[in-house]
Amino acid sequence: MLKRILLVAVIAIAIGVIASLLSLLFVYAVESMSGVLGISAGSRSEQTIGPGTLLVWVLVPALGGLVVGLLCSKNEDGQPLTLVDTIRSAQSMTFTTPLRNALNTALAAVVALGTGNSVGQYGPLAHLGSSIGLAARTITRDTGFTATMGLGCGAAAAISTAFNAPIAGLVFAHEVILRHYSLRSFAPITVSAVVGYLFANHVFYRPPIFQLLDPMPVSSSEFLVFVIIGVLGAYIAMLLVKSVLAAGHIARKIPGPSYSKPAIAGAVVGIAGIWLPEVLGIGEETMREVLLGEGFPALHLAIILVAKLVLTALCLGFGMAGGIFSPALFIGIMFGAVAGLVAEPILGNYFSSLTPYVICGMVAVASPVIGAPLTAILIVFELARNYDLAVAAMVSVVFANLVGYQLMGRSIFDI
């Protein structure tokens, strides 16, 4: 019995190490490609604008989309793999997806993000980590390490690495993928999540993706606003999900090979990026500026929100490799900032600061989209280390998921 426990622990550590390293490599590859191609809003502002520059700005995401389509055409069904495939494997107990398809999809996601297309990185990272865990299971049979353990360990390590949030990574694996909690799986998944955190935070010293200003104490009057943010966030989440599904329906009606569809979405992203570079790629720079209280006017934030929603739906619906969690976080942050700017003159002296509104908006939109309320709360708690902020986020998350479940079900993955 002791030997089997030790073997399971060693396998969980190995999965955590490999998944964490691949996640960091993924992130660094995206950042390097984006830097070389000048995708961020900051780098765009430093470039000399001319006809040639504008043409390049449109061609880069369009050609990136074409490369994504060609890469994904090598998969069995010609489409990028997503967390839907991971969840389906865990729930149906069928584990037949080749690792090469997962690696191919991860490479396609790097290209999509690196060329500025409006998709997310956390879905591909979690799917890649789960695939690594599943591959480890196939070469370590008869050790007591199950396939579902492998899926959970890999996903937990990837999310823990990406967010510097091991508890959120652990809960994400159980809440989104496995859909159950058991002590047998809990222990190895915890080990992998901790390993991912250690690699991100102590080996490579990667800073947290979200940096927050220390918020002022939240007043009791603001909690009603947080409830409203939760309800409205559910409707925005529903609009995002319905838009992705509608874009997929439109894409299927457009004649031509499936590998050409992401290029169409990329061209539209490139055109939109001429006027709104904030919507390109993950948008980390813009999210950080809003979280740190940079002075964006409410109207500009609302325009960015709408544009990001439309472009994300277009990219995902037209088969671009990538996830929906990062765009949902981005849209939620814009929504929360708008809500805070609207609430400030109404609340007057009862208004604390913009930070809790931005955070509540972020989790109110993102958590119903992926069906992970606990994960969203824990990400806030681990990033902010602020109890009042976590409680405020919890209020918005509860109402967002209650309303979201009635509007669209548990998550986009279930749909």
Side-chain angles (χ1 to χ4, degrees):
M1 177 63 73
L2 180 60
K3 180 181 178 181
R4 177 162 290 191
I5 292 173
L6 291 175
L7 280 173
V8 169
V10 168
I11 296 168
I13 291 171
I15 292 172
V17 170
I18 297 171
S20 181
L21 289 174
L22 287 177
S23 297
L24 291 169
L25 179 62
F26 182 104
V27 172
Y28 289 137
V30 170
E31 290 175 349
S32 300
M33 186 179 293
S34 299
V36 170
L37 297 175
I39 296 302
S40 69
S43 63
R44 288 267 173 117
S45 65
E46 299 172 357
Q47 298 179 34
T48 303
I49 299 177
T53 305
L54 296 178
L55 180 61
V56 170
W57 286 0
V58 174
L59 285 178
V60 165
L63 292 176
L66 180 60
V67 173
V68 168
L70 292 171
L71 285 171
C72 293
S73 67
K74 298 179 181 179
N75 291 345
E76 292 177 352
D77 59 355
Q79 297 294 323
L81 299 176
T82 67
L83 271 182
V84 172
D85 301 283
T86 304
I87 296 169
R88 183 184 292 116
S89 294
Q91 300 308 309
S92 64
M93 301 299 288
T94 55
F95 312 104
T96 57
T97 304
L99 178 60
R100 67 177 182 276
N101 287 357
L103 295 172
N104 191 51
T105 297
L107 177 60
V110 168
V111 174
L113 288 161
T115 53
N117 285 289
S118 185
V119 290
Q121 67 177 356
Y122 302 119
L125 287 178
H127 181 269
L128 178 61
S130 296
S131 301
I132 295 299
L134 193 57
R137 164 68 182 88
T138 61
I139 61 176
T140 56
R141 295 184 183 277
D142 302 323
T143 61
F145 191 86
T146 66
T148 52
M149 286 181 188
L151 291 172
C153 286
I159 294 299
S160 175
T161 301
F163 281 102
N164 276 1
I167 303 175
L170 166 67
V171 174
F172 175 88
H174 287 281
E175 186 176 32
V176 176
I177 296 174
L178 301 186
R179 310 282 178 96
H180 69 79
Y181 291 87
S182 69
L183 183 59
R184 187 183 181 192
S185 297
F186 190 86
I189 293 174
T190 301
V191 170
S192 294
V194 171
V195 169
Y197 169 76
L198 291 175
F199 264 78
N201 204 48
H202 295 285
V203 177
F204 292 94
Y205 305 103
R206 179 170 177 78
I209 186 170
F210 297 133
Q211 296 177 351
L212 308 175
L213 291 174
D214 291 332
M216 300 291 290
V218 177
S219 69
S220 57
S221 303
E222 292 180 291
F223 278 89
L224 176 59
V225 183
F226 300 151
V227 171
I228 297 172
I229 288 175
V231 174
L232 295 179
Y235 280 93
I236 295 175
M238 179 198 68
L239 185 60
L240 174 60
V241 170
K242 298 292 186 183
S243 298
V244 171
L245 299 175
H249 183 68
I250 293 171
R252 287 189 290 272
K253 289 187 174 182
I254 295 177
S258 60
Y259 64 78
S260 66
K261 307 295 175 64
I264 298 173
V268 177
V269 170
I271 294 170
I274 295 174
W275 294 278
L276 290 172
E278 296 91 348
V279 301
L280 297 173
I282 301 172
E284 283 187 27
E285 183 180 307
T286 304
M287 287 191 285
R288 284 198 189 98
E289 289 175 355
V290 175
L291 285 167
L292 292 176
E294 298 291 337
F296 284 91
L299 178 60
H300 187 57
L301 290 170
I303 293 171
I304 294 173
L305 186 159
V306 173
K308 187 69 173 180
L309 190 152
V310 172
L311 294 175
T312 299
L314 189 67
C315 286
L316 293 177
F318 276 59
M320 191 77 70
I324 195 172
F325 191 29
S326 300
L329 291 172
F330 183 102
I331 292 166
I333 287 172
M334 300 304 116
F335 162 61
V338 171
L341 292 174
V342 172
E344 184 174 5
I346 297 173
L347 293 175
N349 293 332
Y350 294 102
F351 183 83
S352 56
S353 65
L354 191 62
T355 301
Y357 294 86
V358 175
I359 293 300
C360 286
M362 179 182 78
V363 295
V365 174
S367 61
V369 170
I370 66 168
L374 291 176
T375 301
I377 295 168
L378 288 169
I379 286 174
V380 172
F381 187 75
E382 290 190 271
L383 290 179
R385 309 292 170 89
N386 185 292
Y387 185 78
D388 288 341
L389 199 57
V391 172
M394 186 166 61
V395 171
S396 293
V397 164
V398 167
F399 282 90
N401 281 269
L402 284 173
V403 176
Y405 185 82
Q406 297 300 319
L407 294 174
M408 61 181 181
R410 174 165 176 159
S411 72
I412 189 172
F413 306 132
D414 293 72
I415 297 173

